[in-house]
């Protein structure tokens, strides 16, 4: 399955973003490697139980080894000490998802 998004970047210019979903629980995105024209990223959401999952990120670059330091720094402030993503902190601290 593919999800397309068209964004205006400047007058008369558009950016087409395509996200590929590999069912049942993986997505391939452009990520930084795609932005520089050398690869892609993939997020694999692995079910742990009925209400939790683990996300594994793959970074592929066909030209050079991925920059580990850059990628680790990009996640600073995104993951809390308990492992939950900051943007999901509301759901991590409550027993039910927000409505």
């Amino acid at each position: 399955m593919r999800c397309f998004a068209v964004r205006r970047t400047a007058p008369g210019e558009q950016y087409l973003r395509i996200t590929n979903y590999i069912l049942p629980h993986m997505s391939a995105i452009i990520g930084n490697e795609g932005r520089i024209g050398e690869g892609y990223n993939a997020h694999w959401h692995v079910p742990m139980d009925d209400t939790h999952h683990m996300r594994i990120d793959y970074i592929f670059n066909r030209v050079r080894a991925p920059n580990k330091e850059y990628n680790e720094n990009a996640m600073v402030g995104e993951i809390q000490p308990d492992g939950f993503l900051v943007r999901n902190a509301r759901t991590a601290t409550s027993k039910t998802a927000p409505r």
Side-chain angles (χ1 to χ4, degrees), residues 35-69:
R35 282 195 263 304
I36 60 175
E38 298 178 358
Y40 59 87
N41 293 20
H43 296 166
W44 184 18
H45 297 266
V46 180
M48 303 303 288
D49 59 31
D50 288 344
T51 59
H52 299 86
H53 76 278
M54 173 175 53
R55 185 176 115 179
I56 300 170
D57 291 355
Y58 292 94
I59 300 169
F60 170 76
N61 185 309
R62 71 181 66 79
V63 177
R64 68 196 76 184
N67 185 331
K68 183 178 179 181
E69 183 179 343

